[in-house]
Amino acid sequence: MAKERLYLFDTTLRDGAQTNGVDFTLADKLAIAAMLDELGVDYVEGGYPGANATDTELFARDREFNTTFTAFGMTRRPGRSASNDPGLAALLEAKADAICFVAKSWDYHVRVALETTEEENIASIRDSVRAAKQRGPEVLLDCEHFFDGYKANPQFALACAKAAYDEGARWIVLCDTNGGTLPHEVETIVSEVVKTIPGSHIGIHAHNDTEQAVANSLAAVRAGARQIQGTLNGLGERCGNANLVSIIPTLKLKSEFSERFDIGVSDAQLKKLAQVSHALDERLNRAPNRNAPYVGESAFATKAGIHASAIAKDPATYEHVLPETIGNKRKVLVSEQAGKSNVLAELERIGIKADKDDPRIGRLLEIVKEREAIGYAYESAGASFELLARRTLGKVPNYFDVNQFDVNVEQRNNAKGERVTVTMAVVKVKVGDDNMISAAEGNGPVNALDLALRKDLGKYQKYIAGLKLIDYRVRILNSGTEAVTRVLIESEDETGERWITIGVSPNIIDASFQALMDSIIYKLVKSDAPA
Ligand SMILES: [Zn+2]
């Protein structure tokens, strides 16, 4: 039997942008859209052209996506004609494959918030959908507060939806805007709606205020809806939107859905899901949620003991799906043996030969565990792990010593009487028998320290001449009693090779210094610089 198609609509860049503390740049939006496109999401809602400069610029561009790139905006204002509404005009001008209008569908909101009549609200929907259809793109209508509206006045809520459908809108999206509706209510109400508008034209847009946005989305599908709206990692204002990162694998891996429905995400694309989820957190400079279903670091982690030994016999004993299917990993924490074999595998990957019975392997594992406990994350800093491994195995020469450094930040008036902040670093380095002092000014303490450190390394200078610092990320971790700072530095050399190093300390300059030192030494090791 042919499966029915379910469509995924991502609104990370529009509704997700309402999240407290999230502020997407144009580059962020393009990168996230590209990621969603590669994942196989059918619709990507990019933003609200006309509402802010970033979104206006985004929709002025040509883009090459397979996904239906969608612009969001309001229906015409009450009391205006569609041709005489600048907001609507900006939306219709946007370069978009689809337009998603939002309109009221709760009579109470029409009266109190919009201060207009029910008739005028419906006319505004009809006129706006018609005007958009004439321009060519696909049209969607988000029915704001649909479920609350339906409970208060089902005839009016349905009439709003029906007006858009009759004008040729491809999708009528039922929104649980306040997020307070429960799954059984969603199922009942959607079942009623699909008697008037075919389910193949109905979408669900759920918010997570009772932590049931995913359940509400699935309930709507059970009742006949065929489009699901949501965001990556459940981003969104208040408690967030329905989390597509949980919905996608549920649709792909749970037989109730996978036997009846196809989605645009292939099995191969599903394997990228964990990476997509983590890449979004990385871009937002947030720590990924370890306990996130399917993609979290702990989603398939089991503590040593009877579970672990059962998992070793057959993973299905304690896993509801296979972690590899969504690009995640099984993790058993951590019998000495399992830890050792992880470390050995990692050493082999980076080309360090080691004997499994070498006691130094056990010591390396201990050091990694100790350091990870205080905030180091060697998974994200491969170059620092490699150096740590080489050092523990006694394979890193002592190229140079930094005997002292000093960073000074000063705020003062310059000769023109302007307030300026000047940063200067002085570094004393010993290379062989030579003592050197370098000083540099920078646009901040870490920049000044980096410049001073790399200014003169004597005979090693030629090896690091092409070294560039290309990214610098800081995260404050609260581990135990005091906050510590974790710094990740990404470097690049003249060959284009990139590597990441890490430093952790209560002091941000110390943490940065560790990461800078690792980066330089990694480059010397990689270049086979003589000891
Ligand atoms: Zn919303």
Side-chain angles (χ1 to χ4, degrees):
M1 203 181 83
K3 293 187 196 175
E4 263 189 273
R5 183 73 155 79
L6 274 182
Y7 294 85
L8 299 172
F9 183 108
D10 180 279
T11 181
T12 303
L13 302 179
R14 200 274 301 171
D15 228 3
Q18 304 301 316
T19 313
N20 226 336
V22 167
D23 191 13
F24 293 125
T25 64
L26 184 61
D28 287 335
K29 286 205 164 192
L30 289 167
I32 293 166
M35 214 157 70
L36 289 162
D37 189 35
E38 271 177 37
L39 185 61
V41 171
D42 301 291
Y43 294 81
V44 171
E45 191 167 51
Y48 189 167
N52 62 68
T54 303
D55 288 359
T56 303
E57 166 67 22
L58 178 66
F59 282 97
R61 294 188 160 220
D62 293 313
R63 296 158 311 255
E64 286 183 9
F65 293 138
N66 294 314
T67 189
T68 303
F69 201 73
T70 306
F72 173 89
M74 314 267 259
T75 51
R76 73 158 173 80
R77 275 190 249 164
R80 292 216 179 189
S81 71
S83 57
N84 188 28
D85 183 323
L88 180 60
L91 185 59
L92 298 179
E93 289 297 315
K95 284 187 187 170
D97 310 314
I99 287 178
C100 183
F101 287 111
V102 59
K104 307 272 183 213
S105 54
W106 186 355
D107 56 358
Y108 163 71
H109 268 258
V110 169
R111 273 194 319 272
V112 174
L114 222 50
E115 297 182 25
T116 187
T117 63
E118 294 180 9
E119 293 70 27
E120 175 60 6
N121 189 64
I122 289 172
S124 156
I125 293 172
R126 207 184 298 123
D127 294 350
S128 306
V129 172
R130 187 181 301 155
K133 286 290 291 179
Q134 281 166 2
R135 308 274 301 210
E138 193 176 318
V139 179
L140 301 86
L141 180 78
D142 273 2
C143 294
E144 200 185 43
H145 298 290
F146 184 84
F147 292 92
D148 296 312
Y150 190 92
K151 287 181 203 168
N153 182 344
Q155 291 78 20
F156 177 67
L158 263 180
C160 294
K162 185 87 171 21
Y165 178 66
D166 289 344
E167 284 297 332
R170 168 70 184 87
W171 291 104
I172 312 302
V173 182
L174 313 180
C175 301
D176 186 27
T177 308
N178 290 349
T181 311
L182 300 176
H184 63 277
E185 299 174 303
V186 169
E187 197 158 344
T188 306
I189 292 173
V190 174
S191 302
E192 288 302 315
V193 174
V194 299
K195 292 175 186 163
T196 306
I197 299 169
S200 56
H201 291 268
I202 294 294
I204 177 75
H205 176 112
H207 279 263
N208 203 31
D209 296 71
T210 70
E211 207 166 26
Q212 297 186 89
V214 169
N216 281 345
S217 304
L218 298 174
V221 170
R222 286 161 50 96
R226 293 296 175 257
Q227 184 197 87
I228 300 178
Q229 299 203 343
T231 59
L232 289 176
N233 297 347
L235 229 57
E237 72 183 327
R238 305 190 313 273
C239 316
N241 286 53
N243 185 358
L244 286 181
V245 175
S246 295
I247 288 172
I248 289 170
T250 300
L251 296 175
K252 290 284 290 179
L253 301 175
K254 298 296 171 183
S255 60
E256 177 185 351
F257 297 101
S258 64
E259 284 169 7
R260 284 184 61 198
F261 301 110
D262 272 325
I263 60 173
V265 179
S266 68
D267 293 348
Q269 287 164 318
L270 185 64
K271 287 198 166 77
K272 297 183 194 160
L273 189 68
Q275 186 208 330
V276 166
S277 167
H278 298 158
L280 181 76
D281 287 325
E282 194 58 54
R283 195 161 269 281
L284 296 172
N285 203 13
R286 293 182 163 193
N289 175 7
R290 304 174 70 92
N291 305 109
Y294 294 108
V295 298
E297 213 185 314
S298 302
F300 299 95
T302 313
K303 259 208 164 153
I306 52 163
H307 293 187
S309 62
I311 281 186
K313 288 176 196 150
D314 180 4
T317 49
Y318 282 95
E319 288 170 358
H320 70 118
V321 297
L322 287 174
E324 306 84 74
T325 52
I326 45 254
N328 205 345
K329 276 186 277 201
R330 177 172 308 126
K331 218 171 146 187
V332 179
L333 319 164
V334 77
S335 73
E336 188 65 14
Q337 218 41 50
K340 235 184 197 175
S341 57
N342 287 346
V343 166
L344 282 166
E346 190 56 24
L347 291 177
E348 192 180 321
R349 201 186 61 71
I350 58 186
I352 300 177
K353 285 206 191 344
D355 176 15
K356 69 176 171 38
D357 298 321
D358 188 335
R360 291 176 299 180
I361 300 298
R363 194 172 340 130
L364 175 60
L365 181 61
E366 280 309 307
I367 298 173
V368 168
K369 279 200 270 180
E370 276 167 31
R371 296 194 146 212
E372 295 203 324
I374 57 170
Y376 286 84
Y378 285 108
E379 246 178 30
S380 326
S384 285
F385 174 78
E386 185 172 336
L387 279 183
L388 182 66
R390 287 183 186 278
R391 282 187 182 121
T392 311
L393 300 170
K395 290 177 179 165
V396 180
N398 187 27
Y399 298 105
F400 62 92
D401 293 304
V402 175
N403 288 334
Q404 194 181 328
F405 73 79
D406 176 348
V407 181
N408 181 40
V409 182
E410 182 179 87
Q411 197 178 73
R412 57 175 157 80
N413 291 326
N414 67 9
K416 294 178 192 160
E418 298 155 340
R419 203 75 185 145
V420 291
T421 303
V422 182
T423 311
M424 163 111 141
V426 178
V427 178
K428 291 185 186 169
V429 188
K430 186 159 192 254
V431 186
D433 292 330
D434 302 330
N435 285 299
M436 276 164 281
I437 298 184
S438 303
E441 274 190 13
N443 57 23
V446 176
N447 178 239
L449 186 60
D450 175 42
L451 294 174
L453 202 52
R454 292 193 287 117
K455 201 167 190 177
D456 187 4
L457 277 184
K459 62 176 176 173
Y460 296 121
Q461 193 59 26
K462 62 174 185 251
Y463 297 101
I464 62 164
L467 179 63
K468 276 190 309 211
L469 191 161
I470 54 171
D471 197 14
Y472 175 81
R473 291 196 295 274
V474 177
R475 186 169 293 153
I476 309 298
L477 309 165
N478 283 304
S479 69
T481 50
E482 63 179 346
V484 296
T485 306
R486 173 198 290 164
V487 167
L488 287 171
I489 284 178
E490 188 169 8
S491 309
E492 190 182 61
D493 69 6
E494 64 284 356
T495 68
E497 188 186 331
R498 292 182 174 197
W499 60 91
I500 297 179
T501 52
I502 190 168
V504 173
S505 165
N507 180 314
I508 189 171
I509 303 288
D510 270 344
S512 307
F513 178 74
Q514 290 170 23
L516 288 171
M517 285 290 283
D518 266 11
S519 172
I520 293 170
I521 293 167
Y522 179 80
K523 170 66 178 158
L524 293 176
V525 169
K526 199 167 78 73
S527 312
D528 277 326

